Amino acid sequence: MIGRPLRWHHRARFFFSHHLAHPLQSLFVRIPRCEFGHQTIEVSRLACQHAPLAGRRAVQLSDLHLDLYQPRHDRVVALIKELRPDWIFITGDLLTVPQGLPHLVRFLGHLRALAPVFMTLGNHDHYSRVPVDRFMEMAERQNVHLLVNQSLVVSTNQGELGVVGVDDPSLHRADLRCIPSDVPDRFTVLLAHAPNVLDHLDERHAVDLILCGHSHGGQVRIPFLKPFWLPYGCSGRLNGQYHRNGHRLYVNRGLGWSVLPTRWNCPPEILLIEWLS
């Protein structure tokens, strides 16, 4: 696992933040009309130079917090259909409360009808009281690839796409030993929930692109001011691209919300990744 075990004050922070979020999430999902700032969904674009995959596309989603299926989730599916991805990546925080599991299954079913889906877990998934084994069973039934410190390789006519999914780095559950060795013509994507995974990668790790979420982009953004709060594991990385030790990271603002059903100046995000020659 990366780094040292999670220190007690960070464990306490996660514990209390989740136990604050859990009753509020349970309350607000019963009042779906109280959501604010989720109606406009922004599509961001990221170009990757890799000739063997030229013309291929993928979509990244993050931080679904999908505890109630709503009309906005149908709009997300419709947008993704228009983008025509070859693959769909989801970087954790699938839900917050166990009652969200059937709603998550419904959403994943719609996505799986569009393209193969690869995903990993976030901190809220671990605190949701849904066992990891149950997530695994759900993914298998839905024909979705749930990668928890695992990797797989997708072959194309020209080259290979490597997909690595590590468990949540903010909980120090990520095991980077699952990253495979470098292979010519292979492009490797690392899915991890929290951006602090970047701090643990070095030149030995054959990763071409890291996709994360966790920050919600700050969720509530007041112009000219820093976000009021970022969860542990962001390491100051809010949204967009970051680079370190030759690695490229993209932090997605996510689709859902935590604690309060509000986004301000921080619309939900779908990332479109396009490979170029």
Side-chain angles (χ1 to χ4, degrees), residues 121-130 132 167-168 171 173:
L121 300 178
N123 56 296
H124 281 282
D125 301 315
H126 285 291
Y127 284 119
S128 68
R129 300 199 299 270
V130 177
V132 174
D167 205 348
D168 182 36
L171 295 178
R173 291 174 175 263

Side-chain angles (χ1 to χ4, degrees), residues 41 43 111 113 134 137 139 147 168 181 189 202 273:
I41 302 165
V43 177
L111 295 182
R134 192 170 180 195
E137 292 169 3
L147 302 174
D168 182 36
S181 302
V189 177
D202 57 37
I273 304 158

Side-chain angles (χ1 to χ4, degrees), residues 39-65:
Q39 300 310 308
T40 301
I41 302 165
E42 184 175 288
V43 177
S44 304
R45 293 175 182 263
L46 183 69
C48 295
Q49 299 286 337
H50 188 73
L53 294 182
R56 301 280 185 165
R57 293 177 153 205
V59 157
Q60 182 215 4
L61 309 175
S62 195
D63 298 84
L64 309 181
H65 294 279

Side-chain angles (χ1 to χ4, degrees), residues 60-133:
Q60 182 215 4
L61 309 175
S62 195
D63 298 84
L64 309 181
H65 294 279
L66 212 161
D67 300 304
L68 178 67
Y69 197 98
Q70 299 197 53
R72 65 182 173 89
H73 295 108
D74 286 328
R75 291 199 300 275
V76 170
V77 173
L79 271 173
I80 293 173
K81 184 177 181 178
E82 291 176 4
L83 296 174
R84 297 175 288 106
D86 296 282
W87 307 289
I88 298 172
F89 305 132
I90 307 177
T91 49
D93 275 8
L94 310 175
L95 46 70
T96 310
V97 294
Q99 294 86 347
L101 198 56
H103 303 278
L104 173 64
V105 166
R106 177 182 173 185
F107 184 66
L108 292 177
H110 292 321
L111 295 182
R112 183 62 189 85
L114 303 178
V117 177
F118 306 83
M119 63 187 189
T120 193
L121 300 178
N123 56 296
H124 281 282
D125 301 315
H126 285 291
Y127 284 119
S128 68
R129 300 199 299 270
V130 177
V132 174
D133 288 348

Side-chain angles (χ1 to χ4, degrees), residues 22-273:
H22 192 281
L24 290 173
Q25 197 90 5
S26 299
L27 170 64
F28 287 124
V29 294
R30 298 175 184 175
I31 322 170
R33 292 185 180 180
C34 70
E35 283 194 349
F36 177 83
H38 291 78
Q39 300 310 308
T40 301
I41 302 165
E42 184 175 288
V43 177
S44 304
R45 293 175 182 263
L46 183 69
C48 295
Q49 299 286 337
H50 188 73
L53 294 182
R56 301 280 185 165
R57 293 177 153 205
V59 157
Q60 182 215 4
L61 309 175
S62 195
D63 298 84
L64 309 181
H65 294 279
L66 212 161
D67 300 304
L68 178 67
Y69 197 98
Q70 299 197 53
R72 65 182 173 89
H73 295 108
D74 286 328
R75 291 199 300 275
V76 170
V77 173
L79 271 173
I80 293 173
K81 184 177 181 178
E82 291 176 4
L83 296 174
R84 297 175 288 106
D86 296 282
W87 307 289
I88 298 172
F89 305 132
I90 307 177
T91 49
D93 275 8
L94 310 175
L95 46 70
T96 310
V97 294
Q99 294 86 347
L101 198 56
H103 303 278
L104 173 64
V105 166
R106 177 182 173 185
F107 184 66
L108 292 177
H110 292 321
L111 295 182
R112 183 62 189 85
L114 303 178
V117 177
F118 306 83
M119 63 187 189
T120 193
L121 300 178
N123 56 296
H124 281 282
D125 301 315
H126 285 291
Y127 284 119
S128 68
R129 300 199 299 270
V130 177
V132 174
D133 288 348
R134 192 170 180 195
F135 278 118
M136 290 289 192
E137 292 169 3
M138 175 272 296
E140 186 175 355
R141 288 198 305 272
Q142 295 300 310
N143 196 23
V144 167
H145 303 284
L146 176 58
L147 302 174
V148 183
N149 294 324
Q150 297 168 296
S151 66
L152 53 78
V153 175
V154 179
S155 296
T156 70
N157 293 333
Q158 291 77 31
E160 295 180 337
L161 173 72
V163 185
V164 182
V166 295
D167 205 348
D168 182 36
S170 71
L171 295 178
H172 293 209
R173 291 174 175 263
D175 189 344
L176 301 181
R177 292 173 295 181
C178 67
I179 298 174
S181 302
D182 191 21
V183 173
D185 292 334
R186 178 185 294 171
F187 189 99
T188 299
V189 177
L190 173 62
L191 310 180
H193 182 59
N196 68 329
V197 69
L198 184 63
D199 301 321
H200 300 277
L201 293 169
D202 57 37
E203 294 80 1
R204 297 170 298 172
H205 296 109
V207 174
D208 298 290
L209 177 64
I210 307 134
L211 299 176
C212 295
H214 190 51
S215 72
H216 292 203
Q219 194 165 307
V220 174
R221 299 292 306 274
I222 297 177
F224 311 112
L225 295 180
K226 292 182 178 181
F228 292 111
W229 182 80
L230 283 178
Y232 170 75
C234 288
S235 299
R237 300 177 180 111
L238 187 63
N239 63 273
Q241 292 193 66
Y242 299 87
H243 297 82
R244 186 178 184 273
N245 287 339
H247 292 110
R248 185 186 191 188
L249 164 73
Y250 192 92
V251 180
N252 191 309
R253 294 193 302 271
L255 291 178
W257 52 269
S258 181
V259 182
L260 296 175
T262 299
R263 279 181 174 267
W264 179 268
N265 197 30
C266 187
E269 179 179 23
I270 296 172
L271 175 66
L272 175 65
I273 304 158

